[in-house]
Amino acid sequence: MVISPLHRKALRDLRRLWAQVLAIALVLAAGVATMILGNGAYASLFETRARYYEANRFADVFADVTRAPRALMGEIEAIDGVLAAEARIVKLGLLDLADMAEPGSVLFVSLPENAEVGLNRLHLRQGRLPDPQSSDEVVISEGFAAAHRLRPGAPLGVLMNGQRLELLVTGIALSPEFVYALGPGEMMPDPRRFGVAWLPRASLEAAFDLEGAFSNVVLKLAPGASQDRVIAALDRLTAPYGGIGATGRSDQISHAFLDAELKQLSAMVKVLPPIFLLVAAMLVNMTLSRLITLEREQIGLLKAIGYSARAIALHYVEFVLLIAVLGIAIGLMAGAWLGMGLAQMYAHFFSFPFLVFTRDPQIYVIASGITAAAAVGGAIYAVRAVLTLPPAVAMAPPAPADYRRRQSRLPHVFAMRQTSVMIARHLFRWPFRTLSSTFGIAMSVAILVASLWSFGSINHMIDVTFFRAERHDAQVVFGSPEPLRAVYAARQMPGVMVAEPFRLVAARISHRNLSKRLALIGKIEDPRLSRVLDPALRPMTMPEAGLVLSAALAEALNVRAGDTVTVEFPEGRRPTVSLPVSGISLGYVGLGAAIDITALNRTMGEGALISGLNLQIDAAAQADFFAAAKSTPKTEFVTVTALTISRFKQTLAENITVMITVYVILAAIIAVGVVYNFTRISLSEQGRELASLRVLGFTRAEVAGVLFGELAAVVLLAQPLGWLIGYAIGVSMVAAFSSDLYRVPFVVGREVYATASLVVFAAALASAVAIRARINTLDMIEVLKTRE
């Protein structure tokens, strides 16, 4: 096979400029890898969820009731659009395990008579399903079993409706309903303190006095059925039996959190890859512009012997495409590997029974095409500039730069040394290259700022949520509202120093055409353990009449302080009232709405009732309190603030550490690629000047100082620009990640900017060391002989 001269020249140029080629290829690879990483993980998570839901018949509508007769299921199944319906018993209980002193919760879910054809089917991992006639056999969730090292045949101690029972574990399973198994009152899954247990219906009917009745119903809808109409019909049927309003799959807690993660992955794909591809295009332009300038004579000769301008242009485009192919190859492999790892991490975090890792050729083709287009786009301007020159002009060396017109006054104005003048002249001589290099380094700083801010923001979120607002040590929630005298009983429990009551009532808050379902919380007038904070973090007192809405809820309903909203209560007497918005509070978790507990009880017309207590506990008596809380019949669940914070930090640390590590590596790649190319080009352009300095007696260190001075100027100029861009990216990421489930505050401390700059300085220093080695081995005499 005969290789044409221009093809051989392209291969020689790749070998001769291998370091710069590799730097550009790595930046291109980072862009490709980010696209594959984000899109691949998103597609894998989405496809895994879709297949899991379909295979296990995940329900579309969910509804809780107090007690409804099973005879009602005939009317529910007859609702237009309902494909299948299943009546269940779903109740909370407490754990009573020897290896666990603190309270834990378990959610009991009844199994249908034929578990193979029901909704929300279990995916059995070990053992078998319980015998339908058994009263003590149970299947437990896999995460909970792993946390306590439980296997089929192990005993499980629980408190069911105040009675202690010892169940026999027959199997370990997963369910599409609990992909994200979040315990009551928790912010993060904690499989040690929350598990799901599936039992035969007869066991739960007897324990909770629900013979011939159900407390929960799930529906599967026919394709094309109107979910809103089905929910409205279901609410009408369940209202007389304590129904508090059905919800669709989008509001089911497990599905909602999984949707939020998919949203974050999608946002990441939209932000990072364009940054890498833009920087890579600028690097290509910088490198190719200098290469073409140095090869003016060769281009002139090629034209003189008959090569067309088009053929020469295609030669340089081919050179760039070879770099792009190298970058794409590295990026595809790295992206597939990282995407697989990220998808596996999410699959473990979300408790999927299997992982469908999609290698959709379309994603790879799109990533490759966009990357190649970005590289060629960066080369077009550089190629066009010289191809318009006639052969005779192209063969002549370019005219020496004239610095006198714009820069002759620099030494006089700033009292600069001669070497500093050389640095300034060179930076001003090629302003586009200087600005593009500054921008490229700034983008590496920006990526770090846009990722490192999360640490400070999470610490702020924890401080505000757990130390300024929710300052209780433990929270006890009852199975049903209790009289106010429960407060006095709680104060007699071991270790309890302060007890504050609260009331939780399901509500729908509406404003014009907008509405949200949530739990309205009634607080005492001046709470101390569970405070409501204004945007300035000052405690707010409960108004005598009116609501305090969180900023997230106010934004979702488009209301301000002073507006009036409609509040519908789907339980009790089901009152509907109009209340003013008395204030807007700060909150990062969920959609919050608070009201004075006396006003709430008056509206419900049920007397002075409470749903639970916020407690301050003496640390020395904590173990005694835990034991007493577990034995209290009315207690449905207990949350311990210290354990919640610990789990919250641990889970976020696992996920964020992985992501931050990836971002730091990618930012370092950009910094090294930009800095190394900039310095190599400067070295090539100033070869004769540096050789002349050596002949005049300058040392290698002094000569290197000229190049490093340019590098330092560009790197320093890039820092404030990078901080500003990083701040803007961070703001956009916060907006993209925010949802009804949580809102991450955007807090950027000085340490974020300092850390980002230090990482980039380290990358610049590594590039300087590599360039210094080239300066030390440069043959200055040979450079002086080189014809420019």
Side-chain angles (χ1 to χ4, degrees):
M1 179 178 178
V2 179
I3 301 178
S4 69
L6 289 181
H7 291 331
R8 285 200 300 271
K9 181 179 179 300
L11 295 175
R12 285 199 306 268
D13 288 340
L14 285 176
R15 186 170 58 252
R16 178 168 57 88
L17 301 172
W18 68 269
Q20 291 171 265
V21 167
L22 181 61
I24 298 171
L26 286 176
V27 176
L28 288 168
V32 175
T34 309
M35 293 182 69
I36 299 299
L37 166 67
N39 282 298
Y42 178 91
S44 297
L45 203 56
F46 187 87
E47 185 66 21
T48 298
R49 182 182 70 172
R51 294 192 188 183
Y52 185 30
Y53 282 3
E54 182 179 1
N56 292 71
R57 301 193 72 198
F58 185 41
D60 297 308
V61 176
F62 305 78
D64 288 315
V65 297
T66 302
R67 178 190 176 96
R70 294 190 66 180
L72 184 66
M73 290 303 298
E75 295 181 62
I76 293 175
E77 290 170 349
I79 296 174
D80 185 29
V82 173
L83 189 65
E86 183 178 311
R88 308 186 303 177
I89 298 173
V90 178
K91 291 290 184 178
L92 268 173
L94 295 177
L95 293 169
D96 188 13
L97 302 177
D99 67 337
M100 187 174 167
E102 66 273 15
S105 302
V106 59
L107 185 68
F108 300 110
V109 182
S110 66
L111 288 169
E113 294 179 1
N114 185 353
E116 300 299 325
V117 298
L119 301 179
N120 303 333
R121 295 177 190 165
L122 300 185
H123 182 96
L124 204 61
R125 303 283 268 189
Q126 296 181 40
R128 61 173 176 82
L129 293 174
D131 184 337
Q133 305 305 316
S134 170
S135 61
D136 63 350
E137 291 186 349
V138 63
V139 171
I140 58 176
S141 53
E142 185 179 47
F144 174 71
H148 292 278
R149 299 180 180 177
L150 297 175
R151 296 183 179 277
L156 176 67
V158 299
L159 292 168
M160 190 182 296
N161 200 21
Q163 298 180 350
R164 191 188 187 284
L165 299 174
E166 187 164 292
L167 305 176
L168 178 67
V169 177
T170 63
I172 296 171
L174 295 173
S175 166
E177 188 177 3
F178 302 103
V179 171
Y180 190 87
L182 192 67
E186 300 294 342
M187 297 175 63
M188 287 286 176
D190 187 351
R192 174 176 168 77
R193 295 194 298 123
F194 176 72
V196 184
W198 293 272
L199 298 88
R201 167 179 285 276
S203 300
L204 295 178
E205 282 182 342
F208 291 98
D209 190 24
L210 288 171
E211 288 82 358
F214 63 90
S215 66
N216 176 273
V217 61
V218 291
L219 309 179
K220 186 73 176 174
L221 303 186
S226 171
Q227 178 177 283
D228 291 341
R229 291 181 181 177
V230 171
I231 288 177
L234 181 61
D235 287 346
R236 285 194 299 272
L237 291 175
T238 57
Y241 304 100
I244 58 174
T247 60
R249 181 187 291 182
S250 61
D251 293 320
Q252 198 265 343
I253 191 68
S254 171
H255 180 85
F257 269 95
L258 185 52
D259 252 0
E261 290 295 334
L262 287 168
K263 181 181 179 183
Q264 291 186 11
L265 279 175
S266 178
M268 183 188 72
V269 173
K270 294 175 182 176
V271 172
L272 288 182
I275 293 174
F276 290 105
L277 297 178
L278 177 61
V279 173
M282 292 189 303
L283 280 178
V284 168
N285 182 271
M286 287 167 51
T287 303
L288 200 59
S289 295
R290 178 54 189 160
L291 180 63
I292 291 174
T293 301
L294 293 176
E295 295 185 351
R296 284 167 59 100
E297 183 178 352
Q298 297 179 37
I299 293 172
L301 286 172
L302 290 172
K303 284 187 173 184
I305 62 176
Y307 281 94
S308 65
R310 180 175 179 274
I312 297 173
L314 289 176
H315 159 68
Y316 286 107
V317 170
E318 176 190 22
F319 174 75
V320 170
L321 284 175
L322 289 173
I323 300 175
V325 167
L326 176 61
I328 290 170
I330 297 173
L332 292 179
M333 291 186 292
W337 179 66
L338 290 172
M340 181 69 176
L342 183 62
Q344 287 178 336
M345 183 181 75
Y346 276 117
H348 173 73
F349 184 69
F350 284 107
S351 300
F352 283 112
F354 53 84
L355 173 67
V356 180
F357 184 70
T358 60
R359 290 185 172 87
D360 186 356
Q362 184 177 357
I363 296 176
Y364 290 77
V365 170
I366 292 174
S368 301
I370 293 176
T371 303
V376 172
I380 289 175
Y381 179 81
V383 171
R384 183 184 60 184
V386 76
L387 294 182
T388 57
L389 295 177
V393 177
M395 292 174 65
D402 183 7
Y403 296 110
R404 292 176 297 178
R405 294 182 180 178
R406 290 177 293 178
Q407 298 148 12
S408 61
R409 298 179 59 84
L410 283 174
H412 304 290
V413 175
F414 296 104
M416 299 168 65
R417 297 176 56 186
Q418 191 60 39
T419 52
S420 299
V421 173
M422 293 176 61
I423 293 171
R425 285 176 171 176
H426 209 256
L427 291 174
F428 282 108
R429 175 67 179 84
W430 287 277
F432 176 77
R433 194 191 68 202
T434 301
L435 291 175
S436 60
S437 299
T438 302
F439 180 75
I441 298 173
M443 293 311 298
S444 63
V445 178
I447 290 175
L448 288 167
V449 171
S451 53
L452 294 173
W453 66 266
S454 55
F455 289 108
S457 295
I458 289 169
N459 289 333
H460 176 77
M461 183 178 180
I462 291 173
D463 176 61
V464 171
T465 303
F466 296 109
F467 296 103
R468 301 195 187 195
E470 303 297 331
R471 305 193 300 170
H472 49 75
D473 298 319
Q475 185 181 80
V476 175
V477 178
F478 305 129
S480 59
E482 295 292 322
L484 194 59
R485 62 176 177 270
V487 178
Y488 307 106
R491 289 172 181 165
Q492 305 305 312
M493 294 176 69
V496 174
M497 297 187 293
V498 181
E500 283 185 359
F502 62 87
R503 176 83 190 269
L504 288 173
V505 179
R508 179 183 293 276
I509 302 179
S510 306
H511 179 246
R512 295 174 184 170
N513 62 330
L514 302 173
S515 66
K516 288 290 182 181
R517 294 182 74 252
L518 45 80
L520 179 61
I521 183 167
K523 296 176 180 283
I524 62 175
E525 180 183 359
D526 189 17
R528 300 295 182 182
L529 299 183
S530 179
R531 305 190 299 182
V532 178
L533 305 177
D534 67 13
L537 301 181
R538 294 184 300 253
M540 304 174 68
T541 58
M542 291 295 100
E544 291 184 5
L547 299 175
V548 176
L549 306 184
S550 68
L553 180 57
E555 182 180 330
L557 296 177
N558 191 25
V559 299
R560 300 178 182 177
D563 291 344
T564 300
V565 296
T566 301
V567 184
E568 303 171 66
F569 296 95
E571 58 181 272
R573 295 188 300 109
R574 299 178 178 269
T576 298
V577 295
S578 294
L579 296 173
V581 177
S582 301
I584 305 298
S585 67
L586 181 69
Y588 299 125
V589 181
L591 301 176
I595 187 174
D596 181 81
I597 189 171
T598 303
L600 178 59
N601 282 326
R602 185 169 56 248
T603 301
M604 297 301 296
E606 297 173 340
L609 298 179
I610 63 173
S611 301
L613 296 161
N614 295 309
L615 306 175
Q616 188 176 28
I617 301 169
D618 183 358
Q622 185 172 262
D624 294 333
F625 168 77
F626 288 160
K630 284 195 247 184
S631 62
T632 303
K634 300 294 185 180
T635 300
E636 185 170 56
F637 66 88
V638 180
T639 61
V640 182
T641 303
L643 298 176
T644 300
I645 296 173
S646 176
R647 181 62 184 175
F648 186 74
K649 288 183 176 179
Q650 177 187 351
T651 304
L652 287 178
E654 292 174 357
N655 295 335
I656 289 178
T657 299
V658 173
M659 298 306 299
I660 294 301
T661 301
V662 172
Y663 290 151
V664 169
I665 292 173
L666 295 177
I669 288 173
I670 285 187
V672 170
V674 174
V675 170
Y676 185 80
N677 268 275
F678 176 81
T679 314
R680 281 286 289 115
I681 291 171
S682 295
L683 175 61
S684 176
E685 290 173 342
Q686 298 182 78
R688 290 180 62 83
E689 296 178 17
L690 299 178
S692 299
L693 292 177
R694 290 286 289 120
V695 171
L696 292 173
F698 281 73
T699 64
R700 286 192 178 96
E702 290 171 331
V703 171
V706 176
L707 282 180
F708 296 160
E710 288 188 32
L711 173 60
V714 171
V715 171
L716 289 174
L717 285 172
Q719 300 310 306
L721 179 60
W723 299 338
L724 183 62
I725 297 174
Y727 186 92
I729 295 175
V731 170
S732 64
M733 290 174 66
V734 167
F737 293 168
S738 296
S739 66
D740 288 350
L741 298 175
Y742 55 85
R743 295 165 71 98
V744 181
F746 185 58
V747 179
V748 185
R750 295 179 181 177
E751 69 282 357
V752 172
Y753 299 119
T755 303
S757 295
L758 286 174
V759 171
V760 174
F761 288 154
L765 182 60
S767 300
V769 170
I771 294 298
R772 177 61 187 270
R774 294 189 65 88
I775 295 174
N776 291 342
T777 58
L778 194 62
D779 187 343
M780 295 299 180
I781 303 302
E782 186 65 27
V783 172
L784 286 172
K785 292 179 179 179
T786 302
R787 179 189 178 199
E788 287 285 351

